[in-house]
Amino acid sequence: MFDFRPSERMEHVHSDIRGPIFVEANRMSAAGIPVLKLNTGNPATFGFGMPDSVRKALLENADKAVGYCDLKGMPDARRAICNYHLKKGFKNITPDNVFIGNGVSEIASMVTTTLLNPGDEILIPAPSYSLWTNLTYIAEAKPVLYICDEQSDWYPDLEDIRSKITPKTKALLLINPNNPTGAVYPREVVEGLIKIARDNKLVLLSDEIYDRLVMDDLVHESTAAIAPDMPVITFNGLSKSHIICGFRCGWMVVSGPDWFTVPMLAAVQKMAAMRLCGNALTQLVIPAALEDDASTRAMMVPGGRIYEQREATTKALDKIPGITYVKNRAAFYLFPKIDIKKYNIVSDRQFAMDVLHGTNVLFIPGSGFDWKTPDHFRLVMLPRPEELTKAIEDIGKFLETYDQSKVEITI
Ligand SMILES: Cc1ncc(COP(=O)(O)O)c(C=O)c1O
């Protein structure tokens, strides 16, 4: 036997969205117990279909995708992406500033690998989607978590960010709209983040994958549009807005001064060249999808599925003592708070596991989103309103007798 161990780089990498509680849910499903899985933001699994615009573009153009394509992405698709961002107020970008890949996930990994040296620090929101901390660990850099403040609608705490900057800080990440809180940052908040980056010479990474999924008549403000003079990398894609997570379709726009864009794009190009090109089939649908914002909008307004599912979820949660929340304004996530004193909760993972066993509903505890106290969990509001209402009523009933001090902590 070899003394074999995987790379130490993987030590801190965690994906609770597909972690032990999820594994247990799968075991239950395999044993014939129907489990409502609210762990991933994958709309297709809840009966959302891809828009006709996307299907038509795919069917009509499939022959164009049989060869390797441009390693930065197909020219028509990059042009469409560039125009989309110019319409959102970006300045001084051309299709050459755009890079398409297999989802934001792949593009983000190219960026962390090419941007970060071992030991560099990157400011990452807490709570946040674990992709970014994980990629930082893999780059042997250090994620430094800054607080998003529930008392202020989950907006980033600018003082907390300032207090965590060191000579090693290289970049500031914002996820706007946010996963898991569903917060949409007003212009002043984005300006505040930009000012911190400017004062401290930080690169801004702006994950805006949910920018088309805003509700309540809010307008999404892109970081790069407000700060054309700053080094910014904007991440976006079609997984959620056009219900095609499985296509793996994401991109980035590298914007700002030439001293940043030229070497950054060259470094990413070296990375991208190794994998020859992104999936060409998905790129065929980008121009049509970005023309079609109607299908996304329709889900986000009263009467639309995502809007009504949020309303059903929040209405049902209002009836549970000890649960409070800040209503999400975008995407389909809610990050409710549970009164840990009332239920004697010391482990949010155990809480999620107990709810799974008691109600057959799977959700991911806050610790899966780098939230350090055991008092939050994330709900994915993708099932139909009736199903969400029932699931939350079941959780409410379960909580009537729940007392974690009487439970053995096994996870
Ligand atoms: C904030 C955020 N960024 C990136 C991603 C990854 O998206 P993609 O499917 O484009 O890889 C997700 C997926 O849930 C996400 O929530």
Side-chain angles (χ1 to χ4, degrees), residues 41 102-106 129 131-132 175 177-179 207 209-210 236-240 245 248-250 333 378:
N102 299 316
V104 167
S105 310
E106 184 198 46
Y129 179 61
L131 170 72
W132 290 101
I175 303 178
N178 188 272
N179 174 7
D207 182 341
I209 191 168
Y210 298 102
N236 208 320
L238 298 181
S239 286
K240 319 288 176 166
C245 297
R248 312 308 300 123
C249 183
Y333 307 113
R378 186 187 76 167

